[in-house]
Amino acid sequence: EAGVTQFPSHSVIEKGQTVTLRCDPISGHDNLYWYRRVMGKEIKFLLHFVKESKQDESGMPNNRFLAERTGGTYSTLKVQPAELEDSGVYFCASSLGAWSDYNSPLHFGNGTRLTVT
Amino acid sequence: DQQVKQNSPSLSVQEGRISILNCDYTNSMFDYFLWYKKYPAEGPTFLISISSIKDKNEDGRFTVFLNKSAKHLSLHIVPSQPGDSAVYFCAARDGGGSEKLVFGKGTKLTVNP
């Protein structure tokens, strides 16, 4: 079974540019999450999709961030325009059902390291 | 304000000995706790979890203890192995129906041969 895949693994952009991160969850996983870790701090929740619907987007920092999951398969996270403080590692995770079901752990991808200069 | 705190940024132990990683939390609504292990350039990997209705959960060399009155949990690894060297994150779920996890900053464990 392929794991959660994220593209690109690294991205370096200038302040004011646009970047789009992509996440391919494990096939069949309805639940998809985005998290972010900034500069050695804690990993913070951004949002949660159930299929193509946004279940919880309470962690999105501001309207420069747009997440989509058209068709309920892969998801994209666009940052436009990027600011210096957006630098960090963006993780995507997926689960078959609600992860809190003991048999449905949350599987994380390797992350996209974003550097805004 | 951090709701999940891992006050030790690093821990070093000898191979074969016990590793104890600690985590404190402030939100009494947390109802589920997890430990994740993370190697460099990889995503966090689920290790073990515990529901707030329990005080202990064991899986092989890994045991998680929960002390609700103290709002404290710990992860014990016995015996520690060099391959256990990684960053360990404590995480918690808000019991208010949300599926989001609140993470600590992590503790870097180094197991020396």
Side-chain angles (χ1 to χ4, degrees), chain B residues 44-57:
Chain B
T45 302
F46 171 74
L47 199 56
I48 192 169
S49 63
I50 188 167
S51 166
S52 60
I53 62 173
K54 296 186 177 181
D55 55 17
K56 177 182 175 181
N57 188 28

Side-chain angles (χ1 to χ4, degrees), chain A residues 31 33 35 37 40-45 48 56 58-59 91 97-102 105-111, chain B residues 2 32 34 36 38 41-46 48-50 57 87 89 92-93 98-106:
Chain A
N31 291 264
Y33 307 79
Y35 282 82
R37 188 182 188 204
K41 294 191 175 181
E42 65 270 28
I43 300 169
K44 283 194 171 181
F45 169 84
H48 169 207
D56 181 355
S58 62
F91 292 105
W99 66 260
S100 49
D101 175 349
Y102 199 77
L106 202 53
H107 301 267
F108 280 83
N110 288 340
Chain B
Q2 266 197 287
Y32 209 83
L34 307 89
Y36 278 84
K38 184 185 178 305
E42 294 185 8
T45 302
F46 171 74
I48 192 169
S49 63
I50 188 167
N57 188 28
V87 177
F89 290 94
R93 182 184 77 155
S98 170
E99 289 295 307
K100 70 182 178 185
L101 289 174
V102 180
F103 284 84
K105 288 185 177 182

Side-chain angles (χ1 to χ4, degrees), chain B residues 5-56:
Chain B
K5 299 178 183 179
Q6 295 178 255
N7 293 319
S8 297
S10 63
L11 174 68
S12 183
V13 300
Q14 285 299 119
E15 180 178 6
R17 306 295 289 269
I18 184 171
S19 295
I20 299 177
L21 296 101
N22 294 302
C23 177
D24 296 291
Y25 62 95
T26 58
N27 189 339
S28 57
M29 294 299 291
F30 287 154
D31 67 346
Y32 209 83
F33 303 89
L34 307 89
W35 285 93
Y36 278 84
K37 178 169 75 171
K38 184 185 178 305
Y39 294 116
E42 294 185 8
T45 302
F46 171 74
L47 199 56
I48 192 169
S49 63
I50 188 167
S51 166
S52 60
I53 62 173
K54 296 186 177 181
D55 55 17
K56 177 182 175 181

